[in-house]
Amino acid sequence: GLGACGIVNTDNDLIVAMNHIVFDAYPGYDGVNCNPICNRPITISYQGKSVEVTVTDNCVACGVDEMQLSPAAFEQLADESEGLIEVDWSWAN
């Protein structure tokens, strides 16, 4: 669907909804206009696997150390049956 960045996404896209704390505090975001965090690439790693995703949404229900991956991105790291996983991440650029 349509995310906070104004981008329409599908479950097959390699995307992430960043937690609202990082999203709202991102430098240059004024709370009204498009957030500069939108379209930023992030590399996420878990147990020797990694995936590059793009920020396209804000996760209001996520805590400070949480983010929500699309099903396609999650499946690059682990089986969906694992549910929540603890990952490492960094800005790709």
Side-chain angles (χ1 to χ4, degrees):
L2 183 64
C5 293
I7 301 166
V8 176
N9 306 293
T10 71
D11 288 349
N12 295 320
D13 295 326
L14 297 177
I15 57 170
V16 63
M18 182 56 71
N19 69 68
H20 64 97
I21 298 157
V22 173
F23 191 94
D24 292 344
Y26 196 78
Y29 182 48
D30 63 9
V32 179
N33 296 311
C34 188
N35 192 324
I37 199 173
C38 294
N39 292 310
R40 285 286 317 263
I42 292 177
T43 301
I44 301 176
S45 302
Y46 177 72
Q47 295 186 348
K49 298 178 183 176
S50 64
V51 63
E52 187 170 303
V53 296
T54 303
V55 177
T56 62
D57 204 356
N58 178 7
C59 181
V60 178
C62 293
V64 68
D65 293 327
E66 299 175 339
M67 59 183 68
Q68 188 172 32
L69 295 171
S70 65
F74 191 94
E75 289 173 356
Q76 296 285 319
L77 302 173
D79 189 272
E80 272 190 71
S81 65
E82 289 193 49
L84 298 175
I85 58 174
E86 190 170 325
V87 301
D88 293 315
W89 71 273
S90 61
W91 299 110
N93 290 334

